[in-house]
Amino acid sequence: RCQSHQRVAVSGLGGTGKTALALKYAEQYDSHYQFVHFMNGGNPQLIVDGFLKLADDLDILANNVEERLTALKRQLDRLEYDYLLIIDGVDHPAIFEELSILLPERGKCVLLTSRMPHQAKNLNFDVMDLTPLEREEAVDYLVNVTENSGREEAAQLAERLGDLPLALAHAAAYIVKRRQSFTVYLEQFNKFNFELFSDKSLKIGKNKKTILITWK
């Protein structure tokens, strides 16, 4: 899609691999672009900092920040070659508001990762949804990476992890390092789940909880 669209957004739940997919695309198609620039989209200030860093890289000078950002936008609109801007983790309406001011009107490609597909569509992004793995894919991943047999046990673990690529990667790395079975890891996962979230008043989404437990 980045070959044919000016703006592309990868949308999905936390842990589905949005950032990993964007970075893999940049790695594989690096030669297609004159330059690749990565920005953290966690808050409006990080967005501004990311565009100012790009202005530094393109030797764009001005009297103040606002003029530099305006000059950068004009320069990007004038470029005849393709470039890739990756803006990662845009998950708040205020950040989309900032992007509506700073994004170039032409040229390609701006690749965004976000959990807010509707806001991305409002800025004319072509949105692709990234979903968790199919169960069989998750089981194949666990078995192949850990070199553990026992597809039934792997399926039980994959189900507990919601088939989320990031959680599966955390789990597989730990299992390999500790040379554990899927069953032992699942027992530890459940133990951490109880210890971390025994306080029922703590509100956190299921996917975020799963990622946090595997990371811990």
Side-chain angles (χ1 to χ4, degrees):
R1 298 195 191 191
C2 284
Q3 303 297 308
S4 56
H5 291 78
Q6 178 195 353
R7 299 178 179 182
V8 176
V10 180
S11 179
L13 299 170
T16 51
K18 299 183 296 295
T19 301
L21 179 61
L23 293 176
K24 189 65 176 179
Y25 173 77
E27 176 187 338
Q28 291 191 340
Y29 286 84
D30 175 68
S31 62
H32 183 82
Y33 297 102
Q34 187 73 19
F35 66 83
V36 176
H37 184 72
F38 181 90
M39 287 184 271
N40 186 330
N43 61 57
Q45 186 57 53
L46 288 173
I47 290 290
V48 170
D49 292 343
F51 275 98
L52 289 175
K53 176 60 171 61
L54 179 57
D56 288 341
D57 294 344
L58 297 178
D59 297 321
I60 296 174
L61 302 176
N63 295 324
N64 55 55
V65 169
E66 185 175 349
E67 289 183 5
R68 286 193 79 199
L69 293 174
T70 300
L72 172 62
K73 184 175 181 177
R74 285 199 301 264
Q75 176 72 1
L76 293 176
D77 281 335
R78 287 196 300 262
L79 292 180
E80 296 299 328
Y81 52 75
D82 289 342
Y83 54 84
L84 177 64
L85 303 183
I86 299 176
I87 308 176
D88 184 47
V90 180
D91 296 322
H92 193 280
I95 308 171
F96 280 99
E97 291 178 13
E98 193 70 45
L99 285 175
S100 69
I101 300 170
L102 299 175
L103 285 177
E105 300 298 331
R106 59 183 300 273
K108 65 175 187 286
C109 170
V110 179
L111 179 57
L112 188 82
T113 71
S114 176
R115 297 197 300 268
M116 306 182 75
H118 296 298
Q119 283 78 1
K121 287 180 181 178
N122 288 338
L123 290 185
N124 298 317
F125 278 87
D126 181 52
V127 177
M128 58 176 293
D129 294 318
L130 195 61
T131 60
L133 297 180
E134 296 293 335
R135 179 61 46 77
E136 199 66 18
E137 294 174 324
V139 170
D140 287 343
Y141 174 80
L142 287 173
V143 170
N144 292 335
V145 172
T146 65
E147 297 183 347
N148 281 1
S149 58
R151 295 185 65 85
E152 183 177 344
E153 292 79 6
Q156 292 173 357
L157 178 56
E159 179 180 14
R160 192 70 174 87
L161 299 182
D163 303 303
L164 292 170
L166 183 55
L168 292 165
H170 286 170
Y174 189 89
I175 289 169
V176 169
K177 183 71 174 179
R178 299 300 179 98
R179 298 179 180 176
Q180 288 182 342
S181 67
F182 297 128
T183 301
V184 170
Y185 181 88
L186 186 55
E187 290 172 353
Q188 291 184 323
F189 180 93
N190 290 330
K191 178 174 179 287
F192 265 95
N193 179 42
F194 177 79
E195 291 178 354
L196 288 172
F197 300 105
S198 57
D199 182 0
K200 301 300 182 183
S201 65
L202 183 62
K203 301 297 182 183
I204 183 172
K206 180 180 178 181
N207 288 351
K208 287 186 177 180
K209 180 188 290 188
T210 298
I211 299 300
L212 177 60
I213 295 170
T214 57
W215 178 253
K216 288 287 188 180

Coordinates of all heavy atoms in Angstrom, one line a residue, residues 122-199:
N122 N -9.8 10.0 9.1 CA -10.2 11.5 9.0 C -9.1 12.3 8.4 O -9.3 13.4 7.8 CB -10.6 12.0 10.4 CG -11.9 11.5 10.9 OD1 -12.7 11.1 10.1 ND2 -12.1 11.6 12.2
L123 N -7.8 11.8 8.5 CA -6.7 12.5 7.9 C -6.3 11.8 6.6 O -5.2 12.0 6.1 CB -5.5 12.5 8.8 CG -5.6 13.4 10.1 CD1 -4.3 13.4 10.9 CD2 -6.0 14.8 9.7
N124 N -7.2 11.1 6.0 CA -7.1 10.5 4.6 C -6.0 9.4 4.6 O -5.3 9.2 3.6 CB -6.7 11.6 3.6 CG -7.9 12.6 3.4 OD1 -9.0 12.2 3.4 ND2 -7.5 13.8 3.4
F125 N -5.8 8.7 5.7 CA -5.0 7.5 5.7 C -5.7 6.3 5.2 O -6.9 6.1 5.6 CB -4.4 7.3 7.2 CG -3.3 8.1 7.6 CD1 -3.5 9.4 8.1 CD2 -2.0 7.6 7.4 CE1 -2.4 10.1 8.5 CE2 -0.9 8.4 7.7 CZ -1.1 9.7 8.3
D126 N -5.0 5.5 4.4 CA -5.5 4.2 4.0 C -5.2 3.2 5.1 O -4.1 3.0 5.4 CB -4.9 3.8 2.7 CG -5.4 2.4 2.2 OD1 -6.6 2.3 2.1 OD2 -4.6 1.5 2.0
V127 N -6.3 2.8 5.8 CA -6.1 2.0 7.0 C -6.1 0.5 6.8 O -7.0 0.0 6.1 CB -7.2 2.4 8.1 CG1 -7.0 1.5 9.3 CG2 -7.1 3.8 8.4
M128 N -5.1 -0.2 7.3 CA -5.1 -1.6 7.2 C -5.1 -2.2 8.7 O -4.4 -1.7 9.5 CB -3.9 -2.2 6.5 CG -2.5 -1.8 7.0 SD -1.1 -2.5 6.1 CE -1.3 -4.3 6.6
D129 N -6.0 -3.1 8.9 CA -6.2 -3.7 10.3 C -5.3 -4.9 10.5 O -5.2 -5.8 9.7 CB -7.6 -4.1 10.5 CG -8.6 -2.9 10.4 OD1 -8.2 -1.9 11.0 OD2 -9.6 -3.0 9.8
L130 N -4.5 -4.8 11.6 CA -3.6 -5.9 11.9 C -4.3 -6.7 13.1 O -4.5 -6.1 14.1 CB -2.2 -5.4 12.3 CG -1.1 -6.4 12.4 CD1 -0.9 -7.0 11.0 CD2 0.2 -5.7 12.8
T131 N -4.5 -8.0 12.9 CA -5.2 -8.8 13.9 C -4.2 -9.7 14.6 O -3.1 -10.0 14.0 CB -6.4 -9.5 13.3 OG1 -5.8 -10.4 12.3 CG2 -7.4 -8.6 12.7
P132 N -4.6 -10.3 15.7 CA -3.8 -11.4 16.3 C -3.6 -12.5 15.3 O -4.3 -12.7 14.3 CB -4.5 -11.8 17.5 CG -5.4 -10.6 17.9 CD -5.7 -10.0 16.6
L133 N -2.6 -13.4 15.6 CA -2.4 -14.5 14.7 C -3.5 -15.5 14.8 O -4.2 -15.6 15.8 CB -1.1 -15.3 15.2 CG 0.2 -14.5 15.1 CD1 1.4 -15.3 15.5 CD2 0.5 -14.0 13.6
E134 N -3.7 -16.3 13.7 CA -4.5 -17.5 13.8 C -3.9 -18.4 14.8 O -2.7 -18.5 14.9 CB -4.7 -18.1 12.4 CG -5.4 -17.2 11.4 CD -6.8 -16.9 11.7 OE1 -7.4 -17.8 12.4 OE2 -7.3 -15.9 11.3
R135 N -4.8 -19.2 15.5 CA -4.3 -20.1 16.5 C -3.2 -21.1 16.0 O -2.1 -21.3 16.6 CB -5.4 -20.9 17.1 CG -5.0 -22.0 18.2 CD -4.4 -21.3 19.4 NE -5.1 -20.1 19.8 CZ -6.3 -20.2 20.5 NH1 -6.8 -21.3 20.8 NH2 -6.9 -19.0 20.8
E136 N -3.4 -21.6 14.8 CA -2.4 -22.6 14.2 C -1.1 -21.8 13.9 O 0.0 -22.4 14.1 CB -2.9 -23.2 12.9 CG -2.2 -24.4 12.5 CD -2.5 -25.6 13.5 OE1 -3.4 -25.5 14.3 OE2 -1.7 -26.6 13.4
E137 N -1.1 -20.6 13.5 CA 0.1 -19.8 13.3 C 0.8 -19.6 14.6 O 2.1 -19.7 14.7 CB -0.2 -18.5 12.7 CG -0.8 -18.5 11.3 CD -1.3 -17.2 10.7 OE1 -1.8 -16.4 11.5 OE2 -1.1 -16.9 9.5
A138 N 0.1 -19.3 15.7 CA 0.7 -19.0 17.0 C 1.3 -20.3 17.5 O 2.4 -20.2 18.1 CB -0.4 -18.5 18.0
V139 N 0.7 -21.4 17.3 CA 1.3 -22.7 17.8 C 2.5 -23.0 17.0 O 3.5 -23.4 17.5 CB 0.2 -23.8 17.6 CG1 0.9 -25.2 17.9 CG2 -0.9 -23.6 18.6
D140 N 2.5 -22.8 15.7 CA 3.7 -23.1 14.8 C 4.8 -22.2 15.3 O 6.0 -22.7 15.4 CB 3.4 -22.8 13.4 CG 2.5 -23.8 12.7 OD1 2.4 -24.9 13.3 OD2 1.9 -23.5 11.6
Y141 N 4.5 -20.9 15.6 CA 5.6 -20.0 16.1 C 6.2 -20.5 17.4 O 7.4 -20.6 17.5 CB 5.0 -18.6 16.3 CG 6.0 -17.7 16.9 CD1 7.0 -17.0 16.1 CD2 6.0 -17.4 18.3 CE1 7.9 -16.2 16.7 CE2 6.9 -16.5 18.8 CZ 7.8 -15.9 18.0 OH 8.8 -15.1 18.6
L142 N 5.4 -20.9 18.4 CA 5.9 -21.3 19.6 C 6.7 -22.6 19.5 O 7.8 -22.7 20.1 CB 4.7 -21.5 20.6 CG 4.0 -20.3 21.2 CD1 2.8 -20.7 22.0 CD2 5.0 -19.5 22.0
V143 N 6.2 -23.5 18.7 CA 6.9 -24.8 18.6 C 8.2 -24.6 17.8 O 9.3 -25.2 18.2 CB 6.0 -25.8 17.8 CG1 6.8 -27.1 17.4 CG2 4.8 -26.2 18.7
N144 N 8.2 -23.8 16.8 CA 9.4 -23.6 16.0 C 10.5 -22.9 16.7 O 11.7 -23.2 16.6 CB 9.1 -22.9 14.6 CG 8.3 -23.8 13.7 OD1 8.3 -25.0 13.8 ND2 7.5 -23.2 12.8
V145 N 10.1 -21.8 17.4 CA 11.1 -20.9 18.1 C 11.7 -21.6 19.3 O 12.9 -21.5 19.5 CB 10.5 -19.6 18.5 CG1 11.4 -18.8 19.3 CG2 10.1 -18.8 17.2
T146 N 10.9 -22.3 20.1 CA 11.4 -22.9 21.3 C 11.9 -24.3 21.1 O 12.6 -24.8 21.9 CB 10.2 -23.0 22.3 OG1 9.2 -23.9 21.8 CG2 9.6 -21.6 22.6
E147 N 11.6 -24.9 19.9 CA 12.0 -26.3 19.6 C 11.4 -27.2 20.7 O 12.0 -28.3 21.0 CB 13.5 -26.4 19.5 CG 14.1 -25.6 18.4 CD 15.6 -25.8 18.2 OE1 16.2 -26.3 19.1 OE2 16.1 -25.3 17.2
N148 N 10.3 -26.9 21.2 CA 9.6 -27.7 22.2 C 8.5 -28.5 21.4 O 7.8 -28.0 20.6 CB 8.9 -26.9 23.3 CG 9.9 -26.5 24.4 OD1 11.1 -26.8 24.3 ND2 9.4 -25.8 25.4
S149 N 8.3 -29.8 21.8 CA 7.2 -30.5 21.2 C 6.0 -30.3 22.1 O 6.1 -29.6 23.1 CB 7.6 -32.0 21.2 OG 7.9 -32.5 22.5
G150 N 4.9 -30.8 21.6 CA 3.7 -30.6 22.4 C 2.8 -29.5 21.9 O 2.7 -28.4 22.5
R151 N 2.2 -29.8 20.8 CA 1.4 -28.7 20.2 C 0.1 -28.4 21.0 O -0.4 -27.3 21.0 CB 1.0 -29.2 18.7 CG 2.2 -29.3 17.8 CD 1.7 -29.6 16.4 NE 0.9 -28.5 15.8 CZ 1.5 -27.4 15.2 NH1 2.8 -27.3 15.1 NH2 0.7 -26.5 14.7
E152 N -0.4 -29.4 21.7 CA -1.5 -29.2 22.5 C -1.2 -28.2 23.6 O -2.0 -27.3 23.9 CB -2.0 -30.5 23.1 CG -3.3 -30.4 23.9 CD -3.9 -31.7 24.5 OE1 -3.4 -32.8 23.9 OE2 -4.7 -31.7 25.4
E153 N -0.1 -28.4 24.3 CA 0.3 -27.5 25.3 C 0.6 -26.1 24.8 O 0.3 -25.0 25.4 CB 1.6 -28.0 26.1 CG 1.3 -29.2 26.9 CD 1.3 -30.5 26.1 OE1 1.6 -30.4 24.9 OE2 1.0 -31.6 26.6
A154 N 1.2 -26.0 23.6 CA 1.5 -24.8 22.9 C 0.2 -24.0 22.6 O 0.0 -22.8 22.7 CB 2.3 -25.0 21.6
A155 N -0.9 -24.8 22.2 CA -2.2 -24.2 21.9 C -2.8 -23.6 23.1 O -3.4 -22.6 23.1 CB -3.1 -25.3 21.3
Q156 N -2.6 -24.3 24.3 CA -3.2 -23.8 25.5 C -2.5 -22.5 25.9 O -3.2 -21.5 26.3 CB -3.0 -24.8 26.6 CG -3.8 -26.1 26.5 CD -3.5 -27.1 27.5 OE1 -2.6 -27.0 28.3 NE2 -4.2 -28.2 27.5
L157 N -1.2 -22.4 25.7 CA -0.5 -21.2 26.0 C -0.9 -20.1 25.0 O -1.1 -18.9 25.4 CB 1.0 -21.4 25.9 CG 1.9 -20.2 26.2 CD1 1.6 -19.6 27.5 CD2 3.4 -20.6 26.1
A158 N -0.9 -20.4 23.7 CA -1.3 -19.4 22.7 C -2.7 -18.8 23.1 O -2.9 -17.6 23.0 CB -1.3 -20.0 21.4
E159 N -3.6 -19.7 23.5 CA -5.0 -19.2 23.8 C -4.9 -18.2 25.0 O -5.5 -17.2 25.0 CB -5.9 -20.4 24.1 CG -7.3 -19.9 24.5 CD -8.2 -21.1 24.9 OE1 -7.6 -22.3 25.0 OE2 -9.4 -20.9 24.9
R160 N -4.1 -18.6 26.0 CA -4.0 -17.8 27.2 C -3.3 -16.4 26.9 O -3.7 -15.4 27.5 CB -3.1 -18.5 28.2 CG -3.1 -17.8 29.6 CD -4.5 -18.1 30.3 NE -4.5 -17.6 31.6 CZ -4.7 -16.3 32.0 NH1 -5.0 -15.4 31.1 NH2 -4.7 -16.0 33.3
L161 N -2.5 -16.4 25.8 CA -1.8 -15.2 25.4 C -2.6 -14.4 24.4 O -2.1 -13.4 23.9 CB -0.4 -15.5 24.9 CG 0.6 -16.1 25.9 CD1 1.9 -16.3 25.3 CD2 0.7 -15.3 27.2
G162 N -3.8 -14.9 24.1 CA -4.6 -14.2 23.1 C -4.1 -14.1 21.7 O -4.5 -13.3 20.9
D163 N -3.1 -15.0 21.4 CA -2.5 -15.1 20.1 C -1.8 -13.8 19.7 O -1.6 -13.5 18.5 CB -3.5 -15.5 19.0 CG -4.2 -16.9 19.3 OD1 -3.5 -17.9 19.5 OD2 -5.4 -16.9 19.4
L164 N -1.4 -13.0 20.7 CA -0.8 -11.7 20.4 C 0.7 -11.9 20.1 O 1.4 -12.5 20.9 CB -0.9 -10.8 21.6 CG -2.3 -10.3 21.9 CD1 -2.3 -9.6 23.3 CD2 -2.8 -9.3 20.9
P165 N 1.1 -11.4 18.9 CA 2.5 -11.7 18.5 C 3.5 -11.2 19.6 O 4.5 -11.9 19.8 CB 2.7 -10.9 17.2 CG 1.3 -10.9 16.6 CD 0.4 -10.8 17.8
L166 N 3.3 -10.0 20.2 CA 4.3 -9.5 21.1 C 4.4 -10.4 22.4 O 5.4 -10.7 22.9 CB 4.0 -8.1 21.5 CG 5.0 -7.4 22.5 CD1 6.4 -7.4 21.9 CD2 4.5 -5.9 22.7
A167 N 3.2 -10.8 22.9 CA 3.2 -11.7 24.0 C 3.8 -13.1 23.7 O 4.6 -13.6 24.5 CB 1.7 -11.9 24.5
L168 N 3.5 -13.6 22.5 CA 4.2 -14.8 22.1 C 5.7 -14.7 22.0 O 6.4 -15.6 22.4 CB 3.6 -15.3 20.7 CG 2.1 -15.7 20.7 CD1 1.6 -15.7 19.3 CD2 1.9 -17.0 21.4
A169 N 6.1 -13.6 21.5 CA 7.6 -13.4 21.4 C 8.2 -13.3 22.8 O 9.3 -13.9 23.0 CB 7.9 -12.1 20.6
H170 N 7.6 -12.6 23.7 CA 8.1 -12.5 25.1 C 8.2 -13.9 25.7 O 9.2 -14.3 26.3 CB 7.2 -11.7 26.0 CG 7.2 -10.2 25.7 ND1 6.4 -9.3 26.3 CD2 8.1 -9.5 25.0 CE1 6.7 -8.1 25.9 NE2 7.7 -8.2 25.1
A171 N 7.1 -14.7 25.5 CA 7.0 -16.0 26.1 C 8.0 -17.0 25.5 O 8.7 -17.7 26.2 CB 5.6 -16.6 25.9
A172 N 8.2 -16.9 24.2 CA 9.1 -17.8 23.5 C 10.5 -17.5 23.9 O 11.3 -18.5 24.2 CB 9.0 -17.7 22.0
A173 N 10.9 -16.3 24.0 CA 12.3 -15.9 24.4 C 12.5 -16.4 25.9 O 13.6 -16.9 26.1 CB 12.4 -14.4 24.4
Y174 N 11.6 -16.3 26.8 CA 11.8 -16.7 28.1 C 11.9 -18.2 28.2 O 12.8 -18.7 28.9 CB 10.6 -16.2 29.0 CG 10.8 -16.4 30.5 CD1 11.4 -15.4 31.3 CD2 10.3 -17.6 31.1 CE1 11.5 -15.6 32.6 CE2 10.5 -17.8 32.5 CZ 11.1 -16.8 33.2 OH 11.3 -17.0 34.6
I175 N 11.0 -18.9 27.5 CA 11.1 -20.4 27.5 C 12.4 -20.9 27.0 O 13.0 -21.8 27.5 CB 9.9 -20.9 26.6 CG1 8.6 -20.7 27.3 CG2 10.1 -22.4 26.3 CD1 7.4 -21.0 26.5
V176 N 12.9 -20.3 25.9 CA 14.2 -20.7 25.3 C 15.3 -20.4 26.3 O 16.2 -21.3 26.6 CB 14.5 -19.9 24.0 CG1 15.9 -20.1 23.6 CG2 13.5 -20.4 22.9
K177 N 15.3 -19.2 27.0 CA 16.4 -18.9 27.9 C 16.4 -19.8 29.1 O 17.5 -20.2 29.6 CB 16.1 -17.4 28.4 CG 17.2 -16.9 29.3 CD 18.5 -16.7 28.6 CE 19.5 -16.0 29.5 NZ 20.8 -15.8 28.8
R178 N 15.2 -20.1 29.6 CA 15.1 -21.0 30.8 C 15.0 -22.4 30.5 O 14.9 -23.2 31.5 CB 13.9 -20.5 31.7 CG 14.0 -19.1 32.2 CD 15.2 -18.8 33.1 NE 15.3 -17.5 33.5 CZ 14.9 -17.0 34.7 NH1 14.3 -17.9 35.6 NH2 15.0 -15.8 35.0
R179 N 14.9 -22.8 29.2 CA 14.7 -24.2 28.8 C 13.5 -24.8 29.5 O 13.6 -25.9 30.1 CB 16.0 -24.9 29.1 CG 17.2 -24.4 28.3 CD 18.4 -25.2 28.6 NE 19.6 -24.7 27.9 CZ 20.8 -25.1 28.0 NH1 21.1 -26.1 28.8 NH2 21.8 -24.6 27.3
Q180 N 12.4 -24.1 29.5 CA 11.2 -24.6 30.1 C 10.2 -25.2 29.2 O 10.4 -25.1 27.9 CB 10.5 -23.4 30.8 CG 11.2 -22.8 32.0 CD 10.4 -21.7 32.7 OE1 9.5 -21.1 32.0 NE2 10.7 -21.4 33.9
S181 N 9.3 -25.9 29.7 CA 8.1 -26.4 28.9 C 7.0 -25.4 28.8 O 7.0 -24.4 29.6 CB 7.6 -27.7 29.6 OG 7.0 -27.4 30.8
F182 N 6.1 -25.6 27.9 CA 5.0 -24.7 27.8 C 4.2 -24.7 29.1 O 3.6 -23.7 29.5 CB 4.1 -25.1 26.6 CG 4.8 -24.9 25.3 CD1 4.8 -26.0 24.4 CD2 5.5 -23.8 24.9 CE1 5.5 -25.9 23.1 CE2 6.1 -23.6 23.7 CZ 6.1 -24.7 22.8
T183 N 4.0 -25.9 29.7 CA 3.2 -26.0 30.8 C 3.7 -25.3 32.0 O 3.0 -24.6 32.7 CB 3.0 -27.5 31.2 OG1 2.5 -28.2 30.1 CG2 2.2 -27.7 32.4
V184 N 5.1 -25.3 32.2 CA 5.7 -24.6 33.3 C 5.6 -23.1 33.1 O 5.3 -22.4 34.1 CB 7.2 -25.0 33.5 CG1 7.9 -24.1 34.4 CG2 7.3 -26.5 33.9
Y185 N 5.8 -22.7 31.9 CA 5.6 -21.2 31.6 C 4.2 -20.8 31.9 O 4.0 -19.7 32.5 CB 6.0 -20.9 30.2 CG 5.9 -19.4 29.9 CD1 7.0 -18.6 30.1 CD2 4.7 -18.8 29.5 CE1 6.9 -17.2 29.9 CE2 4.6 -17.5 29.3 CZ 5.7 -16.7 29.5 OH 5.6 -15.3 29.3
L186 N 3.2 -21.6 31.5 CA 1.8 -21.2 31.7 C 1.5 -21.1 33.2 O 0.8 -20.2 33.6 CB 0.9 -22.2 31.0 CG -0.6 -21.9 31.0 CD1 -0.8 -20.5 30.4 CD2 -1.4 -22.9 30.2
E187 N 2.1 -22.0 34.0 CA 1.9 -21.9 35.4 C 2.5 -20.7 36.0 O 1.8 -20.0 36.8 CB 2.6 -23.2 36.1 CG 1.9 -24.5 35.8 CD 2.7 -25.7 36.3 OE1 3.8 -25.5 36.8 OE2 2.1 -26.8 36.3
Q188 N 3.6 -20.2 35.5 CA 4.2 -19.0 36.0 C 3.4 -17.8 35.5 O 3.3 -16.8 36.3 CB 5.7 -18.9 35.5 CG 6.6 -19.9 36.1 CD 8.0 -19.7 35.6 OE1 8.3 -19.4 34.4 NE2 9.0 -19.9 36.5
F189 N 2.9 -17.9 34.3 CA 2.1 -16.8 33.8 C 0.9 -16.6 34.7 O 0.5 -15.4 35.1 CB 1.6 -17.1 32.4 CG 0.8 -16.0 31.7 CD1 1.3 -15.0 31.0 CD2 -0.6 -16.0 31.9 CE1 0.6 -14.0 30.4 CE2 -1.4 -15.1 31.3 CZ -0.8 -14.1 30.6
N190 N 0.2 -17.7 35.0 CA -1.0 -17.5 35.9 C -0.6 -17.0 37.3 O -1.4 -16.3 37.9 CB -1.7 -18.9 36.0 CG -2.3 -19.3 34.7 OD1 -2.8 -18.5 33.9 ND2 -2.4 -20.6 34.4
K191 N 0.5 -17.4 37.8 CA 1.0 -16.9 39.1 C 1.2 -15.4 39.1 O 0.8 -14.7 40.0 CB 2.3 -17.7 39.5 CG 2.9 -17.2 40.8 CD 4.1 -18.1 41.2 CE 4.7 -17.7 42.5 NZ 5.5 -16.4 42.3
F192 N 1.9 -14.9 38.0 CA 2.1 -13.5 37.9 C 0.8 -12.8 37.7 O 0.7 -11.7 38.2 CB 3.1 -13.2 36.7 CG 4.5 -13.1 37.1 CD1 5.4 -14.2 37.0 CD2 5.0 -11.9 37.6 CE1 6.7 -14.1 37.4 CE2 6.3 -11.8 37.9 CZ 7.2 -12.9 37.9
N193 N -0.1 -13.4 37.0 CA -1.4 -12.7 36.8 C -2.1 -12.5 38.1 O -2.6 -11.4 38.4 CB -2.3 -13.6 35.9 CG -3.6 -13.0 35.6 OD1 -3.8 -11.8 35.4 ND2 -4.6 -13.9 35.7
F194 N -2.0 -13.5 39.0 CA -2.7 -13.4 40.3 C -1.9 -12.3 41.1 O -2.6 -11.5 41.8 CB -2.6 -14.7 41.0 CG -3.2 -14.7 42.4 CD1 -4.6 -14.6 42.6 CD2 -2.4 -14.6 43.5 CE1 -5.1 -14.6 43.9 CE2 -2.9 -14.6 44.8 CZ -4.3 -14.5 45.0
E195 N -0.6 -12.3 41.1 CA 0.2 -11.4 42.0 C 0.0 -10.0 41.5 O -0.1 -9.1 42.3 CB 1.6 -11.8 42.0 CG 1.9 -13.1 42.7 CD 3.4 -13.5 42.6 OE1 4.1 -12.8 41.9 OE2 3.7 -14.5 43.3
L196 N 0.0 -9.8 40.2 CA 0.0 -8.4 39.7 C -1.4 -7.8 39.7 O -1.5 -6.6 39.9 CB 0.5 -8.4 38.2 CG 2.0 -8.6 38.0 CD1 2.3 -8.7 36.6 CD2 2.8 -7.5 38.6
F197 N -2.4 -8.6 39.6 CA -3.7 -8.1 39.4 C -4.7 -8.6 40.4 O -5.9 -8.7 40.2 CB -4.2 -8.3 38.0 CG -3.4 -7.7 36.9 CD1 -2.5 -8.5 36.2 CD2 -3.4 -6.4 36.7 CE1 -1.7 -8.0 35.2 CE2 -2.5 -5.8 35.8 CZ -1.7 -6.6 35.0
S198 N -4.2 -8.9 41.6 CA -5.1 -9.4 42.7 C -6.0 -8.3 43.2 O -7.1 -8.5 43.7 CB -4.3 -9.9 43.9 OG -3.4 -9.0 44.4
D199 N -5.5 -7.0 43.0 CA -6.4 -5.8 43.3 C -7.4 -5.6 42.2 O -7.1 -5.2 41.1 CB -5.5 -4.6 43.4 CG -6.3 -3.4 43.8 OD1 -7.5 -3.5 44.0 OD2 -5.7 -2.3 43.9

